[in-house]
Structures are given as structure tokens and as C-alpha cells.
Amino acid sequence: MARKQRVRDSVSIALTGSGGSGVMTAGQMLLDAAARAGWYGMMARSSGPQIRGGEAAAFIRLSLEPVTAPPGTFDLMFAFDWMNVERFAAEIPLDGDSAVIGDPAAGAMPEAIAGTPARKVDLPLQELAKEVPGGRPNMVALGVIATLVGLPEERVLSVVEKALEKKGPEAIRASTAAIKAGRKAALALDAQCPLKADGADTLKERWNISGNEAVGLGALRGGVRFVAAYPITPGTEILEWLAPNIEKVDGTLVQAEDELASVNMIIGASFGGVPSLTATAGPGLALMMESIGLAVAAEIPIVVVDVQRGGPSTGIPVKSEQSDLNIALFGLHGDAPHVVTAATSIGDCLFTTQWSVHLAESLQCPVIMLSDQSLGQSRAIIDKPPAAPYAARRETPPDGVENYRRYAVTESGVSPMAVPGIRGGEYVAEGLEHAPSGRPSSQAGDHQAQLDKRQRKLDRFDFGGAWAHVEGEGEIAVVTWGSSTGPAAEAAARLRAEGKKVRLVSLRLLMPAQPERMAKALEGVSQVLVVEQSHSQQFYRYLRAFYDLPGQVSIFAQPGPLPIRPNQVYDHLASWR
């Protein structure tokens, strides 16, 4: 008896396979086709400990509404083969409404999948591909999945045609035939999970972008013209995107020999007057800390982007976690005021990077910007972001300045920063404490004055409304940050749809703390749920140190590598009824 098809508001697909099976290519094409059909979507990626070349998984969620979080369960799992699939089993929650498609010729289904309540559906993937001259299994799979979720065939074929344009007409013909073969096979499968797609807007301009690409674009829009970095997962794609694009704006990217060289190179470039940035992950950030302290003392603006991964040490390079918060906030020795920001979504990586460059240049201090693997290496279909007004504007003295004092004690705490070539603006910048002239000093008065000055410029700066994303109202509030924002926002929206009033406060500015703004955002709140992805509740303890959270406070803290899912946050909030 055929199952009754249930049309879904969003549909989630997990693709798994061994290295070289084309999992990521099929996932990327599916996302591209969805964008052309006027859908929104998000694609996260996961891989084994080999990082590249081993088994891989693509997690895709499609909807007519913007997607910022992973699903609670997957509607469809498509296994190209069963190679080490058990490594991903915990990342692919399946229930009785799910379907798992596998090729019987690939062998027995591993118990980690077979033991789930999902329906098991056989598809002779390799056999279908062999029937098409030049056909590839991943193109057959693409045709199957697109049909099952209700994606128009012409959208898929247009994406394939563009993607394979350089490979010639024969490659396009073979892939087209494979997709059509997949479509024909899909019509007979008991695995239909169509998206409710009425009203899709194909005219609205949308972007298909990853968080790491958005960081690169935000850096250039902010005015960064020099980048030095050492490749490290999961932040390498920032450099790969910037390498060709920074040249278009007459900028320079240098691949340094290590993270120590990277951060010192950008300090030097910024001292020379060029807005500068480096990108790394947790281990690299740990190596950079001493030099970031130098930039604090010498008041040299730099931006350090940390795409977090599971830690400590080399940890889990290919999986996400929000556990670099403590080192970003407190990892510098001495009293070292600096700025820490965090992107709240894939699209927000653009805004937050641009804003971070603006803050660094305005305040003449380092900004550590936190992203993570789930933002950086995931792709999303987003509306074209509005232009942000933030750009690098550094206060400098006039050419020919007289009696110049680089570290003059000013009311704002910011003193004009001369760059090499400004007549009369010569000074020494180093890590030693100094007098207002820049001359090294160990006198108590100079130390006190410079400590006050460096703190004052952060305390008196108006960070404006960008300090946090605040939405909703009511006596219940979810307080979160970074990639936990998407699941928290979706859970809050679901409760609002059920008639419950829930606020969301997601911090974009983590340091310096904004207690007055937080108090206003939480005015009237009696219950607070703190959501974060760390084992030691780093974010909750930071909040307790700097903020007065009202009423009853609960914590949902979960370490990586499993993502926080909207239904987990929803269950916590729903239990408060």
C-alpha cells in the first residue's frame, strides 16, 4: 500500500559516501538548483579525521523561509555507499518518517543505520549509472533527490549545464541523462518528501555563500588591504577566497610560514597604515596571543578571525564547537583591553567582519572575531545583504604635525596614530609600557595613565545597536551567541507561533560587555535560558561575570561535535509551560 505523501514546510537530506564519490558536488548542485527555484537552504558538511580525501557527508535543509539551523531529524538519507558511514550516524537523527536510500550492491546496511526506525529503500545506484554512457552515480542520486523533494527538473539541469560548461557538451549530456535516469527511478520509490513550494519567489536576488566567503567579503568591504595567514581547518577557505579577490582592490595576501609570522606581519602592515587581518582556528589563536598583546600595548589595529573547531589542542579539526570563547576573552596576559565579536549566522559573517574592521581601526586595538566550523564551512541561500555603513577610518595627525605624542592621554582614549611618512609623526611602537611620547617608561604614573587610556577608549565608544540581535518580547528570554543563534531563534519562533511570548538576545559584541544594554533587553524577563555549544558552560560563566541575569536562569550547554538542534531548545522552553 502506497504511503500518503506529507508535504513539508522544510525538507532535510543527508548525503553520505566515501572520498571521491561526489557527495559534496551533488549537495552543492542541489543547493544551487534550490536557489534557482526560489527556495532558501543551508548545506553543512562533515568529514572524517582525514579532513580531505576520506568519507564525507553533506547535510542539506531546504525551505521557502530562510534556513539558519540544522533540522531536528532528517527526512531523507541517501548513502552513495556504506564506507565508514557509522562515523556520521550520530549526526543524522532519523525517525519513523525518515527514509534511507541505499544500493543493495554496496553490501549490508550497517547496524548504526539499520537499527533506526527509518524506512529502508533499495535503489540500484551503480547499475543505473552504468546504463548511462559516461554516467556518474552522484548525478543519478541528484536526479533522485531532486524528484523526491519536488525540485523542478529544469532548475537542476540548468545548474549542471553551467557547472560542467568547461568540461564540454559530452559531459553535460552524460550528466543530464544520469539525472533523468534518477528522476525516473525516484518516481517508483517509497521515499517521497516534497517541499511545500507554492509561492516560491524566483525574482528576489539571493546569494549562495559560505560563512568563510562572507568573512572574506566583509573584510574587503571594511577596508582590509593586507592579509597574512597560515592555512588551518576550518578557516582555510577564507584565505582561498581572499587570495584572488583582494588583488582586485589592489590588496595583498601572504601565506606565512606559521601563525606567529602571520600575526606579526599584519601588525607590521597596520603600523604602516594598511588595515590588516589574519584568519586562523583555535590552535593558531593560542600561538598568536603574545603578539595580540603587543598590538594592545602599541595600540595597533588588527583583526584576528578565529573559526572555532573542537578543542583543546588539535582536537576535532572538522567539527564545530564554541569553546574558544575563554581564550578570546581572557587569553591575553596583563590588563589588555580588546574587542571580541562573534557572527550570529552565515550571512552575518559579512556584517560582523566589516564591523570588526571598523571597530579595530576606530579604537586602534585588536579585534578577535569568532566564527566556527558550522558557520564557516556551511553554505546558505540568503537574501542579498543590505550595504553596511562601516569602514576603516583611523584617526591620524596632519602632515607636518609638531610636538607629536603618539600616546597622548585624550578624553576619548583614542590618540591620533601617525603612519610612516607623516612629517613630524615619528615615534617608537613596542610592547614596553611608555610615556605619552612613546618613550619606554616604568614609572607608575605613566603605567596608570596608559592603562586608563586603553580601557577608556573601549568604555566610552558607542557600539550602537549592533552589539546584539534582539527580537521578540515576553517574560521568557533565550540568551545565546554565534552559531547557537539559529537553533535558538527557530525554537523561539515556533513557540511564538503557538502563542507563547519569547525573546531572543544573541550577542554580537562579547567584549567589552554592555550591561546597560543587556538590562534593557531583558527588562521584564523572569526566566532565562542560556544556550551554547561548550562543555564547561563558558558563555554562561561569562554572562554571570559581567551581567545581572534576571529571574530563574537555566542552561543548555552541549559540547561539539554534534550541533545544537532547534527541537532541543524548544523542548527546554516548552517544559516551562
Side-chain angles (χ1 to χ4, degrees):
M1 180 178 177
R3 291 171 58 88
K4 185 178 179 180
Q5 292 185 16
R6 180 170 64 85
V7 179
R8 293 157 169 80
D9 292 327
S10 74
V11 60
S12 301
I13 310 108
L15 309 181
T16 62
S18 55
S21 62
V23 165
M24 293 302 170
T25 299
Q28 176 65 62
M29 287 182 172
L30 187 67
L31 193 67
D32 288 341
R36 294 194 178 200
W39 300 6
Y40 292 94
M42 186 172 81
M43 173 179 149
R45 53 189 281 185
S46 184
S47 55
Q50 309 93 328
I51 300 178
R52 288 187 178 181
E55 62 278 359
F59 306 129
I60 302 157
R61 190 179 183 198
L62 305 173
S63 175
L64 287 195
E65 301 295 328
V67 179
T68 60
T73 57
F74 283 89
D75 300 293
L76 184 65
M77 174 183 172
F78 197 119
F80 290 21
D81 54 57
W82 299 118
M83 184 70 69
N84 292 326
V85 72
E86 62 276 6
R87 292 180 176 176
F88 302 116
E91 299 175 65
I92 309 174
L94 301 168
D95 62 16
D97 288 332
S98 308
V100 178
I101 299 177
D103 189 343
M109 183 181 295
E111 179 56 30
I113 304 300
T116 69
R119 301 189 311 284
K120 315 307 185 294
V121 180
D122 290 339
L123 177 77
L125 181 64
Q126 295 292 338
E127 185 179 320
L128 287 170
K130 288 178 181 177
E131 292 175 355
V132 178
R136 292 178 58 84
N138 68 330
M139 292 296 101
V140 175
L142 178 60
V144 170
I145 297 165
T147 304
L148 294 177
V149 303
L151 194 56
E153 184 183 55
E154 63 272 18
R155 302 295 184 184
V156 180
L157 296 181
S158 66
V159 167
V160 171
E161 185 173 352
K162 182 179 180 182
L164 300 180
E165 187 175 8
K166 292 182 179 178
K167 293 188 176 182
E170 189 57 38
I172 295 174
R173 275 195 294 271
S175 292
T176 299
I179 289 168
K180 288 182 176 292
R183 176 177 175 78
K184 183 178 179 181
L187 296 175
L189 297 181
D190 181 20
Q192 308 293 324
C193 48
L195 179 72
K196 183 180 179 182
D198 296 341
D201 185 354
T202 58
L203 300 178
K204 196 170 186 179
E205 185 172 1
R206 292 183 176 133
W207 289 6
N208 183 339
I209 193 168
S210 75
N212 281 342
E213 292 170 349
V215 166
L217 180 57
L220 297 188
R221 286 190 172 183
V224 167
R225 293 297 180 267
F226 181 78
V227 173
Y230 183 73
I232 182 171
T233 302
T236 302
E237 292 88 352
I238 296 175
L239 317 180
E240 293 175 342
W241 189 90
L242 276 169
N245 287 295
I246 198 170
E247 291 182 354
K248 298 175 183 175
V249 292
D250 296 327
T252 301
L253 182 145
V254 176
Q255 179 174 321
E257 62 267 37
D258 57 31
E259 288 85 354
L260 297 175
S262 301
V263 69
N264 287 313
M265 284 181 180
I266 67 168
I267 289 172
S270 182
F271 175 78
V274 182
S276 302
L277 173 147
T278 188
T280 188
L285 180 64
L287 291 171
M288 294 179 182
M289 278 303 177
E290 182 178 0
S291 291
I292 296 174
L294 164 63
V296 171
E299 300 193 47
I300 295 175
I302 57 171
V303 176
V304 179
V305 179
D306 173 17
V307 187
Q308 301 170 93
R309 64 192 206 183
S313 188
T314 43
I316 311 176
V318 293
K319 305 290 175 68
S320 203
E321 200 167 63
Q322 294 180 300
S323 53
D324 290 351
L325 178 61
N326 277 350
I327 190 174
L329 294 170
F330 310 118
L332 300 176
H333 69 273
D335 290 316
H338 62 289
V339 176
V340 180
T341 60
T344 62
S345 69
I346 292 172
D348 190 62
C349 286
L350 192 162
F351 176 89
T352 300
T353 309
Q354 187 173 346
W355 189 50
S356 297
V357 176
H358 164 75
L359 295 178
E361 294 290 320
S362 299
L363 292 166
Q364 299 177 16
C365 77
V367 174
I368 299 175
M369 177 188 151
L370 296 175
S371 174
D372 62 31
Q373 186 272 340
S374 68
L375 295 178
Q377 292 193 317
S378 297
R379 305 192 68 84
I381 303 167
I382 62 173
D383 292 326
K384 179 183 177 181
Y390 303 108
R393 294 187 182 87
R394 188 182 304 184
E395 186 175 346
T396 58
D399 190 33
V401 61
E402 297 181 354
N403 301 318
Y404 177 63
R405 297 192 306 163
R406 164 67 183 98
Y407 302 107
V409 177
T410 62
E411 183 68 19
S412 68
V414 176
S415 45
M417 178 181 177
V419 297
I422 289 183
R423 289 176 297 147
E426 300 83 3
Y427 72 101
V428 174
E430 57 172 305
L432 287 173
E433 189 56 281
H434 39 253
S437 64
R439 175 179 51 80
S441 171
S442 60
Q443 295 184 34
D446 285 332
H447 187 46
Q448 182 71 51
Q450 294 300 317
L451 286 172
D452 291 344
K453 171 185 183 303
R454 292 192 287 264
Q455 184 63 55
R456 185 165 63 247
K457 64 183 178 182
L458 268 62
D459 291 343
R460 296 191 178 182
F461 189 80
D462 182 6
F463 291 92
W467 75 282
H469 172 71
V470 183
E471 64 179 36
E473 58 182 14
E475 296 183 358
I476 293 176
V478 183
V479 181
T480 189
W481 73 288
S483 60
S484 296
T485 304
E490 184 170 327
R494 185 175 162 191
L495 284 163
R496 287 190 207 111
E498 296 173 358
K500 203 172 186 72
K501 292 184 177 180
V502 180
R503 301 186 199 185
L504 174 73
V505 181
S506 175
L507 275 63
R508 188 179 285 109
L509 179 66
L510 294 162
M511 188 71 82
Q514 304 291 299
E516 293 183 1
R517 288 190 167 97
M518 179 68 93
K520 186 175 181 181
L522 296 179
E523 196 172 37
V525 166
S526 61
Q527 289 179 293
V528 175
L529 177 64
V530 178
V531 178
E532 61 174 303
Q533 192 186 28
S534 81
H535 182 262
S536 58
Q537 303 177 348
Q538 294 183 19
F539 182 59
Y540 166 72
R541 298 183 191 287
Y542 152 77
L543 291 172
R544 277 300 191 198
F546 292 93
Y547 295 103
D548 292 325
L549 299 179
Q552 176 188 343
V553 179
S554 301
I555 309 148
F556 175 51
Q558 171 182 291
L562 297 180
I564 292 176
R565 299 185 184 278
N567 55 312
Q568 294 176 298
V569 182
Y570 173 87
D571 289 344
H572 274 266
L573 295 171
S575 67
W576 290 356
R577 291 176 178 177

